[in-house]
Amino acid sequence: MNRTGFLYDDRYQMHRVGNYHPEVPDRLPAVYKGIADAGLLSRLTLIKAQLPDMKWIELVHDKNYIQRFEAACGCGNTIFDSPDNQMCSVTYETALLAVGGILEAVRRVMEGQLDNAFCAIRPPGHHAEVDKAMGFCYFNNIAIAARYIQKEWGIERIGIVDFDVHHGNGTQHIFEEDPSVFYYSIHEHPSFAYPGTGREFEHGKNLGHGFTKNSPVLPGRGDIEYKLLMAKDLFPAFDQFKPEVILVSAGFDAHIDDEMSNIKLSTEGFSWIAEKIMEMAKKYSKGRLISVLEGGYSLRRLPELARNHIQILLER
Amino acid sequence: MLFEFVSDFELSLAKGDTMFVSRSMTRNVITVDKEKNIFDAQELMAKHRIRHLPVVDPDNRLIGIITDRDIRSALPYNFFRDTPSDEEKARFCSLKVMDVMSSNPIAISASHTIQDALLLIQDSKVGALPVVDDNNKVTGIISVRDLLRAFINVLGIGEPGTLLCVLVEEKVGQLKKIVDAITEENISFGSVLVARYWDKNKRAVFPYLLTQNVVHIKKKLEKLGYELLDPMQWYIDQLPQHERSENPEE
């Protein structure tokens, strides 16, 4: 059994969105319930939210953007950069707590107190660009974690696996010229789904050429296609790259019962993905893996999906 | 399938002059003199990574067009396979631009629309059209590449968004209802395309919406009585028969 951390805090529900918005606070209690009902809590190390040192966020985002976000939130704006990004007076604070909590989870893994961790945070991060909020995301959590690991812990090669059903445009753009971070994303084909990037021919730029890999999946293809594409595009790439730490953008919105996509991945399909990522972590990164929640909007399915995910982190 | 632009009501589909040749053409056009030899012309093309050179007189009036293919056709087929010696080159040096160019080339005016340019390019089977003013002076060139860029812009797919497909009956006012319903939700349009002859008496409307959050608007459109086509359905229809039967569950 692994020593697995679980980042969870009621304060992540403070960030509120308007009507008819899927990224609701209730997503997190759904995640918690699945894990608690399965009796897993006693086997996990609970990690609480905390505020981060701003210098880590500034490794990824423009200072100007951070100030703009804080100001917009402080003024009582309900929308930031696009109507997709709805917010309330404490959205900025919640976003900071998400980053801080994740960095704490990373620290414990890097210090060897934990083998791996799952971070159930809001708001999500992978659409956030250096200077722009997008697709419900404000700070690019996973990108900040990657930079923090490199700077604070002297790690050279980070591998990111993003299985949210939407392409992580922000993460890709942040690292597309950087050969030290390999970004892999599998998602619904951009001609059918937000945000319209992540095509096969986007494979990094300049020095980073070959260190970005995208597997777009046509609607309805589900488990079989995911298995084929990950075997073809991800496994050989990581075998060559040999990431020293693996970060996961864990979105559960490709599920067949999730209204946000048409991919039709099964619950078992998600377990298969987690198992394969764990295998790679064992093989290349001494088990070091930090998984961070992105999307996943089916309140009915989130309990089982989060439970299976963290159970695989614990037991594989 | 015929895609047609929605032009019968105001949409933020095109800003002002975006739909005109003047906006999409390349302005600093590289031209060549008819007296130059074909290797000079070829060097120009290679240097600027282009395949068409308008041929002009000293007053910049259009008298022809020369393409990389015109030059290749004028030379032995294996001329460039082995690096040609100076001697071999000298044999063909007497070939001038005027000897291999097309005279009376098809040109277009900057005030024409990009639809004009598209149809003209399709009809005349050329890769680029010189753009000329009333005095036949060259002011630009519009190539297939320029048109592609213009269409990516018109489709709005350079910006993040989500594509929907709504099936509507062929009667007046349908499109307005759809657009109104979407506008009421404060969602911006990247573009709207309409495919005619989708089904008998039906059209498919493809709104490209600049948002990730389409769950609610989809439900709203369904409540209004529209049929939303599953994206899976519209791409499976495009698959070759044998691939379709391999996926019986779909």
Side-chain angles (χ1 to χ4, degrees):
Chain A
M1 194 176 95
N2 298 311
R3 295 161 303 161
T4 296
F6 176 41
L7 171 61
Y8 187 85
D9 199 307
D10 288 341
R11 284 178 286 173
Y12 292 140
Q13 294 176 54
M14 296 189 311
H15 162 51
R16 305 245 156 208
V17 290
N19 290 337
Y20 306 120
H21 198 290
E23 208 280 283
V24 291
D26 285 350
R27 295 173 62 228
L28 294 187
V31 164
Y32 188 85
K33 189 173 185 311
I35 292 165
D37 286 357
L40 294 173
L41 283 179
S42 60
R43 295 160 64 193
L44 296 165
T45 304
L46 199 67
I47 303 170
K48 284 288 164 189
Q50 54 176 266
L51 290 170
D53 187 330
M54 292 306 288
K55 72 178 180 189
W56 303 123
I57 298 182
E58 287 165 15
L59 284 178
V60 166
H61 293 285
D62 279 355
K63 260 190 181 165
N64 195 315
Y65 167 76
I66 302 170
Q67 285 166 1
R68 204 160 57 77
F69 177 25
E70 183 179 14
C73 196
C75 293
N77 289 8
T78 55
I79 282 173
F80 185 52
D81 282 353
S82 144
D84 275 0
N85 312 316
Q86 304 196 357
M87 62 180 186
C88 66
S89 61
V90 287
T91 294
Y92 176 72
E93 193 190 335
T94 317
L96 287 182
L97 288 169
V99 172
I102 293 163
L103 297 189
E104 173 62 14
V106 168
R107 186 185 65 81
R108 296 202 200 176
V109 171
M110 296 310 295
E111 281 184 354
Q113 301 171 30
L114 295 172
D115 296 303
N116 56 39
F118 175 60
C119 305
I121 51 87
R122 289 176 64 247
H126 73 154
H127 293 306
E129 300 272 0
V130 168
D131 56 359
K132 198 172 158 202
M134 260 178 72
F136 320 159
C137 301
Y138 303 85
F139 289 137
N140 197 309
N141 301 315
I142 213 85
I144 296 166
R147 286 283 183 246
Y148 169 71
I149 294 168
Q150 289 184 317
K151 275 264 167 356
E152 183 74 356
W153 303 93
I155 295 290
E156 278 175 31
R157 295 181 312 279
I158 311 258
I160 300 177
V161 180
D162 184 337
F163 65 80
D164 185 280
V165 80
H166 305 100
H167 176 241
N169 56 288
T171 315
Q172 173 170 312
H173 292 147
I174 288 160
F175 297 117
E176 66 188 351
E177 296 193 36
D178 184 346
S180 71
V181 177
F182 195 111
Y183 177 66
Y184 173 77
S185 179
I186 184 162
H187 45 261
E188 186 166 359
H189 193 286
S191 290
F192 302 89
Y194 187 89
T197 50
R199 289 170 205 272
E200 269 170 320
F201 54 78
E202 297 167 23
H203 29 48
K205 291 181 175 169
N206 301 327
L207 283 178
H209 186 97
F211 296 92
T212 293
K213 182 81 197 162
N214 287 297
S215 305
V217 183
L218 288 167
R221 285 281 159 132
D223 293 15
I224 295 171
E225 193 78 351
Y226 266 59
K227 290 178 183 176
L228 279 173
L229 286 173
M230 286 179 71
K232 177 169 82 72
D233 295 341
L234 173 62
F235 305 157
F238 269 28
D239 196 47
Q240 203 174 10
F241 182 71
K242 301 198 172 31
E244 297 165 88
V245 178
I246 292 180
L247 299 178
V248 182
S249 269
F252 297 101
D253 39 5
H255 193 275
I256 187 163
D257 290 336
D258 199 304
E259 289 177 316
M260 290 289 281
S261 76
N262 302 285
I263 280 297
K264 304 194 189 238
L265 206 58
S266 71
T267 299
E268 295 71 36
F270 278 101
S271 294
W272 182 87
I273 294 172
E275 282 164 12
K276 287 295 167 186
I277 297 173
M278 275 300 283
E279 275 175 30
M280 290 191 291
K282 291 257 138 117
K283 212 161 149 191
Y284 311 120
S285 66
K286 303 178 193 152
R288 292 185 297 206
L289 177 155
I290 298 98
S291 172
V292 178
L293 184 65
E294 299 282 359
Y297 306 95
S298 166
L299 297 178
R300 194 161 67 85
R301 291 300 186 179
L302 270 174
E304 72 191 48
L305 292 169
R307 177 200 65 209
N308 292 350
H309 188 70
I310 211 161
Q311 192 155 13
I312 291 161
L313 261 54
L314 258 175
E315 294 173 0
R316 293 294 162 135
Chain B
M1 188 195 312
L2 185 91
F3 284 100
E4 182 193 82
F5 284 95
V6 178
S7 54
D8 52 346
F9 63 98
E10 317 132 49
L11 264 186
S12 57
L13 194 138
K15 286 181 235 122
D17 58 352
T18 3
M19 297 304 282
F20 291 95
V21 168
S22 56
R23 178 70 176 252
S24 298
M25 69 186 192
T26 301
R27 278 172 195 278
N28 36 16
V29 52
I30 315 295
T31 58
V32 68
D33 189 282
K34 67 176 171 28
E35 297 293 337
K36 295 276 184 193
N37 74 47
I38 57 171
F39 297 111
D40 293 333
Q42 197 184 38
E43 225 176 274
L44 264 179
M45 290 185 206
K47 187 175 157 204
H48 296 281
R49 301 178 65 191
I50 51 179
R51 294 199 301 256
H52 302 81
L53 293 175
V55 185
V56 295
D57 69 11
D59 288 331
N60 198 33
R61 281 199 188 84
L62 183 69
I63 54 175
I65 191 162
I66 183 167
T67 70
D68 61 347
R69 219 171 129 189
D70 294 333
I71 296 171
R72 281 170 186 278
S73 307
L75 297 167
Y77 77 97
N78 59 352
F79 191 81
F80 289 107
R81 204 151 45 172
D82 327 301
T83 318
S85 65
D86 289 347
E87 210 172 286
E88 273 175 301
K89 266 191 158 177
R91 264 176 63 206
F92 295 97
C93 250
S94 58
L95 271 180
K96 290 180 175 173
V97 165
M98 59 185 291
D99 300 326
V100 300
M101 72 180 191
S102 311
S103 307
N104 305 318
I106 300 155
I108 195 166
S109 137
S111 61
H112 278 76
T113 63
I114 57 172
Q115 288 98 321
D116 295 334
L118 270 174
L119 294 170
L120 187 56
I121 275 186
Q122 188 197 31
D123 189 56
S124 55
K125 299 186 175 67
V126 297
L129 301 169
V131 183
V132 294
D133 65 12
D134 293 344
N135 300 316
N136 203 33
K137 287 191 180 179
V138 175
T139 59
I141 188 163
I142 187 158
S143 66
V144 169
R145 227 187 283 167
D146 296 319
L147 287 168
L148 272 178
R149 195 180 339 103
F151 266 76
I152 287 171
N153 183 28
V154 161
L155 288 169
I157 55 177
E159 278 187 86
T162 310
L163 190 65
L164 301 187
C165 176
V166 191
L167 280 191
V168 300
E169 280 177 42
E170 182 131 24
K171 58 182 185 195
V172 179
Q174 294 289 0
L175 217 44
K176 183 177 185 314
K177 278 189 206 158
I178 294 172
V179 172
D180 284 349
I182 293 168
T183 310
E184 278 164 22
E185 298 296 312
N186 264 325
I187 298 173
S188 304
F189 287 88
S191 62
V192 181
L193 293 175
V194 181
R196 283 168 190 272
Y197 318 118
W198 183 267
D199 206 347
K200 204 166 182 270
N201 303 325
K202 285 214 171 147
R203 292 188 187 191
V205 177
F206 296 84
Y208 182 67
L209 305 178
L210 302 182
T211 178
Q212 178 174 15
N213 184 10
V214 292
V215 174
H216 180 63
I217 185 64
K218 278 161 100 174
K219 284 186 184 150
K220 186 171 163 183
L221 289 168
E222 273 168 354
K223 226 180 256 173
L224 285 170
Y226 293 109
E227 187 183 340
L228 283 167
L229 208 57
D230 192 331
M232 197 170 106
Q233 217 48 52
W234 36 282
Y235 94 86
I236 282 177
D237 289 347
Q238 312 299 321
L239 288 180
Q241 195 64 46
H242 69 273
E243 253 195 76
R244 262 184 263 177
S245 54
E246 274 172 23
N247 297 291
E249 78 277 11
E250 292 169 355

